Amino acid sequence: MRNNIAECHFKRLLLALTCCWTLLLAALFLWNTRQLRKTTLELAESNARMFWQKDMLYRAWNLSHGGVYVPVTKHTPPNPHLDMPQREVMIAGRQYTLMNPGYMFRQVAELGKELTAIQGKITSLDPREPDNAPNGWETKALRAFERGEPEYLEQVQTEEGPVLRFMRPISTEPSCLPCHREIKEFGKVRGGISIVLPMEKYVLQHRQNTQKLLSAFLAIWLVGNVMTCLLASVIQKTLRQLLQSEEQQRAILETMDKVGVGLHIVDKAFHVHYVNRTTEQWFGYKAGSLCYETAHGEDAPCLLCSLEQVVDRKETVHTELRWQGRVFEVVAAPIITQDGVPAKLEVRLEVTDQKRIKEEERKTQELLKAKEAAEAATVAKSVFLANMSHEIRTPMNAIVGMSKLALETNLDPEQRNLISKVQAASESLLGIINDILDFSKIESGKIELEQTDFRLQDVLEHVTNLIQIKAEEQGLLLRVESAPDVPEILCGDPLRLGQALINLGHNAVKFTHQGRVEIRVELAGQQADGLALLRFSVTDTGIGISPEQLERIFDSFTQADSSTTRQYGGSGLGLVISQKIVNLMGGEIEVDSRPGHGSCFHFTVPFEPGREERLPAQAGEQAAEAADRMLARLAGKRLLLVEDNAFNRELATIVLTRKKLTVFHAENGQAALDFLRTEAVDAVLMDIQMPVMDGCTACREIRKQPQFQQLPIIAMTANVMAGDMEKSRAAGMNDHLGKPMDEKKLFACLIKWLAAGAQA
Ligand code: ADP
């Protein structure tokens, strides 16, 4: 739109320019033709004057000698008016005639008229010869001379064409006397010589010159117009570019405003030359004002101003500006304003949000690092707990095992009582250690659930067996029941489910002084994918839990009340472990309780229904008999027991020799290797953590020897984490037994690797 208007204006200007050029040239042409005409006339006049001068010279010369003899020719016949005896003379046989001045004048005048068409004539108002009488214009001229005019000039149109009439006066002088004796007085006007100059030649010349002039002017006009057009197209192009760049500039500025980019130009004297809306709104700059007055409300420039650096040193400066809680990124660059003033162009972009996001990201990173550190600490703590558990478990193995063996000997009642208490205390201690180990496994994410088919009733019976004695001791009624619609066989981890229920059951019994404890299983629903939702609840009529205590009941190492520890004992880990197990099974433990009104811990978890045929074979009477037969087959087998702890060595030896096995000892891996070089054995029971050479390394070394490829090597260790079992398997062990030593498991394992093969 703006472009069209500007182009329209430009075209009008161009038209006006062309008109002016044409008018100027026309005026110049007219002036030149006038000048040409004047020059032509002046030339003719000058020629007439020259002719007059020559005529006068010629007359003076004639009068000076009074006449000359010339040969008689067609053009120089004798003068008929001259009557004198020597008019003709013969010289060398040729006739000469005297040309007196007057006759000579006439002859020359006629020749001149004939050859040049210029007529020269002597005339007077008082002529001596009638031929010299003046005609009309000559009379007029002669009269003018008498009035004192120096010459007469006129251009007239005659029948023969245009002519120039010129006349100058002749005054009386002594040279006139030979012909005009009557002259008495000199210096008076006697007559004049008139010249008639035909102008045709000059008019023609003038016409030709005018035509040339016209052609030249037309050429100049044309060249002028072409130049104007060329110039106009260049100007138009430049103008268009200028307008486009102006348009672009405006678009850029508007866009900057729209997207919120601030822009302003300040010169060295702090005058604001330009400011866009954004900067005006943000900082209050006003075009034409002093920046520090309008923007900062100060009467002097600010100390941190970058003007000098940008304008004088021509540097581009990047800075960050903080203004009323907002953050801006600023780029200032040198610029020359439209008025040619050096100035600073400053672009400002608000980055408050980006800064905030970056700050938040930084904080998040820090939190992440802190979280990672916390997790690392948790892992370290879990590793520590696992190590501690191993270290405690090793002597505990000896205590539990030895006291059990002692109880099997002949003791008097007092001794039996004491040893029983040792065994009970050590088993309770083992429970705590197991809890710690479970907790550390859960914390470090090392616990994994088994997926096996099992009978729910078996789990409930096991739970009952474990808590019934204590419940009865406290005079509590224990009810464990499953609703009729609950599937009998489930698929999942029976050990972990039992562990969660035992923990809850133990607590219920522990914190209940009278009344009852109820463990119930109900069918809460059936999921679309075929899973049965089972609700487990453990309800008691015990001391209950206050609302404040309920808030942190599932935190690790937490007892509802610190006095509880003193009164009831416990590690504060049971609930956490139960909760984690339930979480792993896909449920959440909840508790409803009121102080003095008992508690109800319950959770709902999905279970895949199990299948009867997939259940592990039940150990019936026949199975027991078969096991006894197998055990008998172990008699005489040679076992190498690799164990660094002397008590544990002794314990295992007693247990094994009772079943008639031959036991050899090695205190570490290296000793085992040395022993195997000389002695043959049927199997190796290998501890893992040992000085000199650990069990895994020893196993790898043994397996390197071809004769020991099939030798059963069974890990027997207090390292009972899942990773430990994997490690021992990877080292080449056939099986893994945990400590404290479980006799049943030990012999089952030995039967598996020694007797079962023998049977086959
Ligand atoms: P602890 O080994 O101390 O029993 P738990 O994690 O099993 O650790 O229990 C944490 C605390 O929760 C207990 O010390 C006790 O204060 C409270 N608590 C748990 N079960 C019950 C219950 N059935 N009745 C009352 N208080 C309970």
Side-chain angles (χ1 to χ4, degrees):
M1 184 65 185
R2 264 171 63 88
N3 280 9
N4 290 348
I5 294 169
E7 272 192 34
C8 200
H9 281 320
F10 182 74
K11 275 181 188 158
R12 274 191 211 149
L13 187 75
L14 196 68
L15 196 68
L17 247 161
T18 314
C19 287
C20 286
W21 173 243
T22 310
L23 283 175
L24 179 74
L25 280 192
L28 268 172
F29 176 71
L30 281 179
W31 183 78
N32 267 292
T33 36
R34 279 176 75 93
Q35 286 301 111
L36 207 62
R37 196 184 157 83
K38 214 170 137 190
T39 313
T40 312
L41 198 64
E42 278 172 3
L43 186 68
E45 282 173 11
S46 141
N47 278 354
R49 281 192 190 95
M50 254 169 60
F51 198 88
W52 189 89
Q53 293 275 350
K54 268 171 87 179
D55 197 276
M56 281 300 287
L57 266 172
Y58 165 68
R59 279 176 200 274
W61 178 72
N62 265 350
L63 286 173
S64 68
H65 54 69
V68 290
Y69 281 95
V70 297
V72 177
T73 63
K74 189 179 142 204
H75 293 295
T76 52
N79 182 1
H81 303 293
L82 188 63
D83 188 19
M84 60 180 285
Q86 290 88 17
R87 200 185 69 178
E88 273 94 25
V89 292
M90 293 296 286
I91 303 167
R94 190 166 180 191
Q95 191 182 4
Y96 286 83
T97 186
L98 179 70
M99 286 280 164
N100 67 316
Y103 185 57
M104 213 184 310
F105 292 150
R106 256 194 309 278
Q107 288 278 310
V108 169
E110 270 162 27
L111 191 65
K113 198 172 171 185
E114 194 184 316
L115 294 178
T116 64
I118 301 172
Q119 298 164 37
K121 178 185 160 191
I122 191 158
T123 182
S124 172
L125 287 171
D126 179 20
R128 255 201 4 191
E129 303 286 336
D131 282 354
N132 291 344
N135 58 21
W137 73 272
E138 286 167 338
T139 311
K140 209 165 110 191
L142 286 167
R143 294 241 164 83
F145 297 151
E146 279 180 353
R147 287 196 303 273
E149 295 285 334
E151 61 180 24
Y152 181 85
L153 255 175
E154 72 171 0
Q155 196 195 347
V156 288
Q157 186 67 36
T158 62
E159 279 169 10
E160 288 84 31
V163 292
L164 180 75
R165 289 170 178 161
F166 176 76
M167 195 165 170
R168 268 198 183 159
I170 312 167
S171 302
T172 52
E173 52 183 87
S175 61
C176 304
L177 285 177
C179 296
H180 297 276
R181 284 196 193 89
E182 75 279 3
I183 292 172
K184 304 271 185 298
E185 213 179 331
F186 298 124
K188 290 198 84 177
V189 176
R190 176 71 183 88
I193 291 173
S194 71
I195 307 291
V196 176
L197 191 75
M199 290 289 287
E200 212 154 318
K201 196 176 83 186
Y202 296 95
V203 168
L204 198 69
Q205 182 71 39
H206 172 69
R207 205 167 288 151
Q208 280 174 356
N209 285 347
T210 309
Q211 267 171 7
K212 280 181 196 163
L213 194 72
L214 184 66
S215 306
F217 266 82
L218 276 174
I220 292 170
W221 181 79
L222 214 65
V223 169
N225 278 349
V226 169
M227 293 290 285
T228 313
C229 284
L230 283 176
L231 207 71
S233 91
V234 172
I235 292 173
Q236 200 173 15
K237 208 170 147 195
T238 316
L239 193 75
R240 209 171 284 151
Q241 283 172 349
L242 205 73
L243 283 168
Q244 275 171 357
S245 87
E246 212 176 81
E247 197 79 29
Q248 269 178 5
Q249 197 184 342
R250 211 182 42 250
I252 290 169
L253 291 177
E254 272 174 15
T255 314
M256 281 176 119
D257 250 340
K258 273 184 202 149
V259 298
V261 176
L263 187 120
H264 70 281
I265 298 172
V266 185
D267 70 12
K268 231 193 122 181
F270 304 98
H271 278 117
V272 180
H273 280 247
Y274 172 81
V275 57
N276 75 349
R277 256 197 330 276
T278 310
T279 295
E280 192 174 335
Q281 279 166 10
W282 281 346
F283 299 93
Y285 283 117
K286 289 259 179 289
S289 69
L290 288 169
C291 61
Y292 53 82
E293 278 181 4
T294 46
H296 310 295
E298 302 280 344
D299 49 10
C302 15
L303 294 171
L304 292 171
C305 188
S306 61
L307 250 181
E308 198 188 315
Q309 192 181 357
V310 175
V311 178
D312 290 351
R313 284 185 260 152
K314 304 264 176 282
E315 287 173 15
T316 299
V317 179
H318 293 249
T319 44
E320 191 180 281
L321 175 71
R322 286 180 187 269
W323 171 269
Q324 295 176 350
R326 297 160 81 180
V327 189
F328 298 87
E329 261 183 17
V330 180
V331 180
I335 192 179
I336 303 288
T337 65
Q338 282 171 343
D339 328 326
V341 181
K344 173 180 82 160
L345 168 84
E346 200 165 293
V347 178
R348 292 179 179 184
L349 183 69
E350 184 169 6
V351 290
T352 314
D353 288 346
Q354 288 92 316
K355 283 271 164 195
R356 206 192 57 241
I357 290 166
K358 265 192 188 164
E359 185 62 20
E360 277 166 9
E361 275 173 3
R362 194 185 58 75
K363 280 184 185 158
T364 311
Q365 283 298 324
E366 274 176 11
L367 279 176
L368 221 63
K369 273 188 197 155
K371 186 175 165 255
E372 278 167 10
E375 278 169 2
T378 306
V379 170
K381 188 179 77 188
S382 301
V383 169
F384 169 77
L385 288 175
N387 283 339
M388 284 305 293
S389 138
H390 172 268
E391 292 307 312
I392 298 168
R393 199 176 281 265
T394 305
M396 281 301 297
N397 185 40
I399 299 169
V400 172
M402 296 283 194
S403 54
K404 195 172 170 224
L405 288 178
L407 283 173
E408 285 172 16
T409 59
N410 290 328
L411 301 172
D412 63 38
E414 196 183 347
Q415 286 169 329
R416 183 167 295 281
N417 178 35
L418 291 173
I419 299 291
S420 306
K421 284 189 176 146
V422 169
Q423 199 187 21
S426 56
E427 264 167 11
S428 139
L429 187 57
L430 204 64
I432 294 172
I433 293 164
N434 281 342
D435 272 358
I436 293 174
L437 191 63
D438 270 340
F439 175 72
S440 71
K441 275 191 210 166
I442 288 165
E443 283 277 275
S444 53
K446 281 182 180 163
I447 196 164
E448 268 176 31
L449 291 186
E450 217 187 321
Q451 275 299 77
T452 179
D453 288 354
F454 66 95
R455 223 179 271 277
L456 178 62
Q457 201 51 43
D458 290 348
V459 175
L460 296 179
E461 271 171 23
H462 179 61
V463 174
T464 314
N465 288 341
L466 282 176
I467 56 173
Q468 194 161 28
I469 300 167
K470 185 97 168 69
E472 279 169 8
E473 273 174 18
Q474 290 183 207
L476 301 174
L477 182 68
L478 174 68
R479 266 176 69 184
V480 181
E481 57 183 26
S482 170
D485 52 354
V486 173
E488 278 180 37
I489 304 167
L490 303 170
C491 183
D493 193 329
L495 280 178
R496 295 294 172 190
L497 174 64
Q499 192 180 356
L501 289 173
I502 290 163
N503 283 344
L504 297 178
H506 259 141
N507 280 346
V509 172
K510 188 158 86 173
F511 297 107
T512 306
H513 303 299
Q514 56 180 15
R516 64 180 193 283
V517 171
E518 250 181 51
I519 301 176
R520 275 187 68 78
V521 190
E522 291 157 284
L523 183 68
Q526 202 80 37
Q527 282 188 182
D529 52 5
L531 300 188
L533 273 177
L534 299 192
R535 184 179 189 274
F536 295 82
S537 60
V538 180
T539 316
D540 64 59
T541 53
I543 60 170
I545 307 159
S546 69
E548 308 83 63
Q549 292 164 343
L550 275 177
E551 274 177 25
R552 38 190 190 91
I553 195 97
F554 292 107
D555 292 352
S556 327
F557 308 105
T558 300
Q559 261 107 16
D561 180 352
S562 55
S563 61
T564 317
T565 327
R566 289 196 296 277
Q567 201 180 337
Y568 300 95
S571 60
L573 285 175
L575 281 183
V576 189
I577 292 168
S578 302
Q579 192 199 37
K580 298 283 180 189
I581 289 171
V582 170
N583 288 351
L584 280 172
M585 290 196 293
E588 193 77 44
I589 291 195
E590 284 171 28
V591 53
D592 308 317
S593 182
R594 261 196 312 147
H597 287 86
S599 314
C600 176
F601 286 83
H602 54 91
F603 58 89
T604 305
V605 284
F607 273 104
E608 198 184 310
R611 292 222 299 270
E612 179 114 36
E613 60 273 22
R614 287 196 312 220
L615 286 173
Q618 282 285 54
E621 229 172 81
Q622 278 182 340
E625 275 175 26
D628 284 347
R629 275 202 308 277
M630 290 288 199
L631 207 54
R633 284 199 190 133
L634 289 177
K637 296 283 180 194
R638 293 160 66 85
L639 277 186
L640 175 62
L641 177 66
V642 192
E643 166 72 68
D644 62 322
N645 186 289
F647 294 138
N648 284 340
R649 260 200 323 269
E650 193 184 338
L651 175 68
T653 308
I654 296 169
V655 170
L656 290 165
T657 48
R658 274 185 181 181
K659 301 293 179 198
K660 312 246 177 337
L661 281 113
T662 312
V663 182
F664 302 97
H665 294 153
E667 289 179 17
N668 57 59
Q670 186 55 55
L673 278 172
D674 296 342
F675 179 84
L676 286 175
R677 249 179 238 125
T678 53
E679 297 283 338
V681 291
D682 296 302
V684 179
L685 286 175
M686 180 83 80
D687 189 14
I688 300 288
Q689 274 189 21
M690 285 182 294
V692 186
M693 185 188 281
D694 67 77
C696 286
T697 316
C699 183
R700 273 193 293 272
E701 290 301 315
I702 294 169
R703 289 285 184 231
K704 276 181 193 167
Q705 301 172 43
Q707 71 272 29
F708 299 131
Q709 289 297 314
Q710 304 301 322
L711 178 70
I713 305 176
I714 298 151
M716 203 162 74
T717 170
N719 296 49
V720 286
M721 310 278 275
D724 300 324
M725 295 185 198
E726 274 159 29
K727 263 187 234 160
S728 56
R729 285 241 161 75
M733 310 254 192
N734 298 75
D735 223 327
H736 192 110
L737 288 169
K739 282 181 190 167
M741 189 177 70
D742 182 325
E743 252 189 77
K744 266 191 197 164
K745 282 186 186 163
L746 169 70
F747 286 113
C749 183
L750 287 174
I751 287 168
K752 182 178 165 193
W753 295 105
L754 296 172
Q759 189 189 34

